[in-house]
Amino acid sequence: MKIMAANANLPLARAVAQYLELPLVDAAVRRFADEEIFVEIHENVRGQDMFVIQSTSYPANDNLMELLICIDALRRASAKRITAVVPYMGYARQDRKPGPRTPISAKLVANLITEAGADRVLAVDLHAGQIQGFFDIPTDNLYAAPVMAADIQSRYSGKALMVVSPDVGGVVRARALAKRLDNAPLAIVDKRRDRPGESEVMNIIGDVKGRHCILIDDIIDSGGTLCNAAQALLDEGAESVVAYITHGVLSGGAVARVDSSALKELVITDSIRPTEAALDSKRIRILTIAPLIGEAMRRIADESSVSSLFD
Ligand code: R5P
């Protein structure tokens, strides 16, 4: 196997390569003067089992294009098999038509990756599991939950925990984490806007009084969902609220919003390269998923079970 990295998250790619005790393929992914992307692979990859690591995070379109062009370069260089390792898949939230005459952009992105020449995809906490079906090639969806559960056990063991989903859509993910935390109880934040124009009401399903709440979600973007949920939990008598989120998109003023929120701590993974603001924040901590991704890649290369990573 050989590993190639595009530019979106080089620290993660290097950490994965280090886990696998392999060098990154000698390649250049650079821009022409007019910002067109150019990829040049400086070593032979003919007949190799190739893994190209690229999160299609901000700037999503540039990073997606880099991924597509890397795959094209590998295909034309006669790689035997190409796995697109996409720790964070941009556009994944556009997985259905929210209204008439709107696109399903997640499906379009899946088509583009496949059409460029990928033979497999390795992703982490896809926004919805069904997105695996958007690809007509084998797609492994890894879960950050075991990494999060280990961190939670080491910090909060013996405390009265409550796993909380910040919306109804995240219940399956929250339940899976709760199971890993010795079947911790589960609560759900139910957001309702009874009439258009009226402000949103947060109802908490479950008794969170005196509990140390662990909010879990796949993405923190503006931070609105999470910060509002944290406040609602404290208002209902929660003892403390921390959040574990796989993908720290953290756009706009999200870091400042988190810093001034009711959240005691926000824990994200390095699926997206953290910004300076996120690294500087005293409220944000980053867990690495490099060993998880590296181990899954090793198992794909060895043709051994990936799912048993989560047993
Ligand atoms: C939505 O379905 C996702 O799971 C996240 O809850 C959402 O993307 C978070 O966005 P924001 O941080 O902007 O509220």
Side-chain angles (χ1 to χ4, degrees):
M1 67 188 292
K2 283 194 176 189
I3 311 167
M4 179 172 168
N7 291 315
N9 195 345
L10 280 171
L12 177 68
R14 289 193 189 110
V16 169
Q18 197 177 9
Y19 175 86
L20 290 166
E21 297 179 351
L22 288 172
L24 288 174
V25 159
D26 182 10
V29 182
R30 56 189 176 85
R31 300 284 190 278
F32 286 138
D34 64 353
E35 290 295 311
E36 276 186 10
I37 295 158
F38 180 64
V39 173
E40 201 169 18
I41 302 167
H42 299 136
E43 63 183 84
N44 182 24
V45 294
R46 198 174 284 270
Q48 295 290 331
D49 192 4
M50 290 300 311
F51 293 79
V52 52
I53 303 180
Q54 175 80 333
S55 278
T56 53
S57 49
Y58 176 85
N61 303 328
D62 284 359
N63 285 332
L64 173 62
M65 206 60 204
E66 277 194 4
L67 173 64
L68 300 176
I69 295 176
C70 286
I71 294 171
D72 187 71
L74 288 167
R75 182 166 59 97
R76 291 174 197 281
S78 304
K80 184 179 71 191
R81 182 169 71 168
I82 303 166
T83 301
V85 181
V86 190
Y88 170 70
M89 180 182 166
Y91 286 101
R93 281 175 285 179
Q94 297 187 46
D95 59 356
R96 62 186 172 280
K97 288 181 70 168
R101 298 171 297 281
T102 54
I104 304 183
S105 305
K107 170 62 179 154
L108 173 64
V109 168
N111 286 349
L112 289 169
I113 293 173
T114 310
E115 204 49 44
D119 298 293
R120 309 183 58 93
V121 171
L122 178 61
V124 182
D125 278 328
L126 283 168
H127 180 58
Q130 303 89 299
I131 294 171
Q132 286 174 95
F134 288 6
F135 294 93
D136 280 330
I137 49 178
T139 302
D140 291 297
N141 182 25
L142 305 178
Y143 306 106
V147 179
M148 294 175 173
D151 189 77
I152 295 166
Q153 299 276 27
S154 75
R155 284 170 180 256
Y156 304 106
S157 157
K159 295 213 162 152
L161 296 182
M162 185 98 168
V163 176
V164 184
S165 172
D167 54 36
V168 177
V171 174
V172 173
R173 185 176 294 112
R175 198 184 296 131
L177 180 71
K179 211 167 138 199
R180 286 182 185 274
L181 298 172
D182 304 323
N183 285 316
L186 195 68
I188 302 164
V189 181
D190 174 36
K191 283 182 287 190
R192 293 247 172 117
R193 199 188 300 273
D194 283 341
R195 266 171 291 278
E198 282 188 4
S199 65
E200 220 167 45
V201 181
M202 298 255 184
N203 300 304
I204 311 290
I205 305 171
D207 185 5
V208 299
K209 262 186 212 74
R211 294 276 180 174
H212 296 274
C213 292
I214 313 273
L215 273 162
I216 170 149
D217 209 347
D218 59 332
I219 295 172
I220 174 165
D221 189 347
S222 66
T225 304
L226 219 58
C227 297
N228 293 341
Q231 190 56 56
L233 290 166
L234 288 183
D235 292 347
E236 285 296 309
E239 180 71 29
S240 67
V241 186
V242 296
Y244 281 75
I245 313 291
T246 308
H247 308 297
V249 174
L250 295 169
S251 359
V255 172
R257 188 168 293 125
V258 168
D259 283 346
S260 58
S261 74
L263 277 171
K264 206 168 110 193
E265 187 177 50
L266 165 66
V267 182
I268 53 176
T269 78
D270 54 358
S271 67
I272 296 174
R273 186 178 183 161
T275 58
E276 287 302 318
L279 291 170
D280 286 347
S281 165
K282 301 236 174 332
R283 214 57 87 84
I284 300 176
R285 188 159 57 85
I286 298 158
L287 296 177
T288 185
I289 50 169
L292 177 73
I293 294 174
E295 186 55 29
M297 285 165 58
R298 192 184 63 73
R299 289 174 185 221
I300 289 169
D302 290 353
E303 311 281 355
S304 57
S305 167
V306 170
S307 66
S308 59
L309 262 174
F310 301 99
D311 290 344

